[in-house]
Amino acid sequence: MIVLGIETSCDETGVALYSATEGLLAHRLYSQVAMHQVYGGVVPELASRDHVQKISPLIQATVAEAGVTLSQLGAVAYTAGPGLIGALLVGAAVGRSLAWALEIPAVEVHHMEAHLLAPLLEPNPPNFPFLALLVSGGHTLLVSVEGLGRYSILGESLDDAAGEAFDKTAKLLGLGYPGGPAVEKLAAFGDPQRFRFPRPMTNRPGLDFSFSGLKTYAANTVRNTALDEQAKADIARAFSDAVVETFVIKCRRALRATGLRTLVVAGGVSANRMLRDGLDRLGHESQIRVCYPQLQFCTDNGAMIAFAGCLRWRAGARAPAGFTVRARWPLDETG
Ligand code: KG4
Ligand code: ZN
């Protein structure tokens, strides 16, 4: 009942072993961030090549750390999308080959479903149904979750994802890549009164998001301001406040509309302390339980893939004979 999980959808090579009876046995991550930093963002071709180099040693190290042998594996799960095609192909090819050689099933995992389920790795996990706010570098989704594979998308970003907006704003402020953690750090020193950024799409009904306007607002503010360290912090603070309040407003609206009593928040941006504080306040005020993954499982990792793969495997999922990976793959088409 042990599943090997492989994550290679973007710039992190993640590997983990999850046991259906004992939980997470081991997990390892190799981050390519340092390599991409000089380019200010992920270079897809470099990402694929680096996954090729890192994946096998990482699998060997993870298996050794868990104290198991490959022959004990029950299935191999890998991220089949959405993500960068070349990067996905590396994990898929390795995962499929290993499963074939070991004569065990391979299981395709949807990257955003894995993010969505990551809070269930924690002690005292939330029960279905719940509302999920997924905030990553590529996606921003509000999802009504009835159970495994039973997802209704209530809202999504019409343009930039929340993480992308953090990254672009960071670039405008001359901060490194990835921008989210850098903006968070700087925002802590910012004056919340100095600038006020708009709360996009909150003054009309609906649960969709739009973050590209915030980036433009940040660009205009940068242009019209003498950009010393304090001004950068003030802009980071105003941007973060706008993102957080927008999420609080939309989550409050979605909780009211659905009557759901649990909010699950996941994806890279869910590591943000200001966002957690804002949503915790909402939880307190609305008597709603709010759950997050532990910090290391907010951003991309192998543990969430092994865990989602294990749930899917036990529910009977098996990868089809021919193998495909998908750059785009709507979450509500996971079945
Ligand atoms: O989930 P993730 O690791 O990868 C995708 O599936 O896209 O999310 C990465 C995104 C990046 O845009 C990064 O800047 C953002 O999550 N992020 C943060 C924080 N940590 C990571 N954004 C805001 N605050 C953070 N602390
Ligand atoms: Zn991700």
Side-chain angles (χ1 to χ4, degrees), residues 127-152:
N127 295 316
F128 298 121
F130 53 73
L131 177 72
L133 173 67
L134 302 182
V135 279
S136 75
H139 297 84
T140 302
L141 297 166
L142 256 175
V143 190
S144 167
V145 180
E146 288 293 321
L148 183 69
R150 293 166 62 203
Y151 310 126
S152 311

Side-chain angles (χ1 to χ4, degrees), residues 35-150:
M35 179 179 70
H36 297 293
Q37 240 157 15
V38 271
Y39 304 99
V42 178
V43 183
E45 185 55 30
L46 294 181
S48 319
R49 289 176 194 211
D50 209 47
H51 286 307
V52 170
Q53 290 185 329
K54 302 297 176 349
I55 188 79
S56 295
L58 210 57
I59 291 174
Q60 281 165 354
T62 311
V63 168
E65 184 189 325
V68 301
T69 59
L70 287 178
S71 62
Q72 287 173 267
L73 299 185
V76 181
Y78 60 89
T79 308
L84 302 171
I85 282 291
L88 287 166
L89 275 171
V90 178
V94 170
R96 292 301 286 261
S97 312
L98 199 54
W100 185 80
L102 296 169
E103 298 184 37
I104 55 176
V107 179
E108 295 181 314
V109 171
H110 188 291
H111 182 81
M112 295 312 293
E113 178 179 55
H115 273 305
L116 188 156
L117 296 169
L120 277 64
L121 275 164
E122 298 307 302
N124 189 18
N127 295 316
F128 298 121
F130 53 73
L131 177 72
L133 173 67
L134 302 182
V135 279
S136 75
H139 297 84
T140 302
L141 297 166
L142 256 175
V143 190
S144 167
V145 180
E146 288 293 321
L148 183 69
R150 293 166 62 203

Side-chain angles (χ1 to χ4, degrees), residues 9-12 111-112 115 135-139 162-164 166-167 177-181 184 267-273 298-300:
S9 69
C10 191
D11 58 348
E12 321 273 356
H111 182 81
M112 295 312 293
H115 273 305
V135 279
S136 75
H139 297 84
E164 198 178 352
F166 268 97
D167 294 338
Y177 174 85
E184 172 172 15
V269 183
S270 70
N272 189 280
R273 191 66 254 171
C298 288
T299 42
D300 292 349

Side-chain angles (χ1 to χ4, degrees), residues 137-306:
H139 297 84
T140 302
L141 297 166
L142 256 175
V143 190
S144 167
V145 180
E146 288 293 321
L148 183 69
R150 293 166 62 203
Y151 310 126
S152 311
I153 301 199
L154 306 176
E156 61 191 316
S157 179
L158 304 179
D159 41 59
D160 293 353
E164 198 178 352
F166 268 97
D167 294 338
K168 287 178 175 174
T169 299
K171 211 174 224 177
L172 286 167
L173 295 175
L175 309 173
Y177 174 85
V183 170
E184 172 172 15
K185 225 179 262 169
L186 201 56
F189 303 102
D191 172 3
Q193 309 300 335
R194 179 154 175 209
F195 302 109
R196 185 183 160 83
F197 280 34
R199 276 61 173 151
M201 295 183 71
T202 52
N203 57 1
R204 61 178 106 159
L207 296 168
D208 285 333
F209 304 94
S210 164
F211 290 111
S212 69
L214 276 186
K215 172 202 60 193
T216 311
Y217 203 89
N220 289 336
T221 311
V222 165
R223 202 172 307 122
N224 299 323
T225 308
L227 208 59
D228 56 16
E229 280 311 302
Q230 188 57 50
K232 284 186 186 179
D234 298 341
I235 291 169
R237 176 62 191 256
F239 169 82
S240 304
D241 280 342
V243 172
V244 170
E245 201 183 331
T246 301
F247 281 133
V248 169
I249 291 169
K250 293 291 168 102
C251 286
R252 183 186 291 122
R253 204 178 275 177
L255 288 163
R256 280 194 187 142
T258 58
L260 291 166
R261 310 290 307 158
T262 305
L263 171 64
V264 158
V265 191
V269 183
S270 70
N272 189 280
R273 191 66 254 171
M274 284 176 66
L275 178 62
R276 288 185 175 216
D277 288 345
L279 293 172
D280 285 343
R281 275 195 298 275
L282 170 68
H284 190 72
E285 145 210 320
S286 327
Q287 301 286 295
I288 296 286
R289 185 171 175 210
V290 188
C291 306
Y292 311 88
Q294 54 182 277
L295 285 184
Q296 62 175 339
F297 299 148
C298 288
T299 42
D300 292 349
N301 64 88
M304 67 181 193
I305 305 302

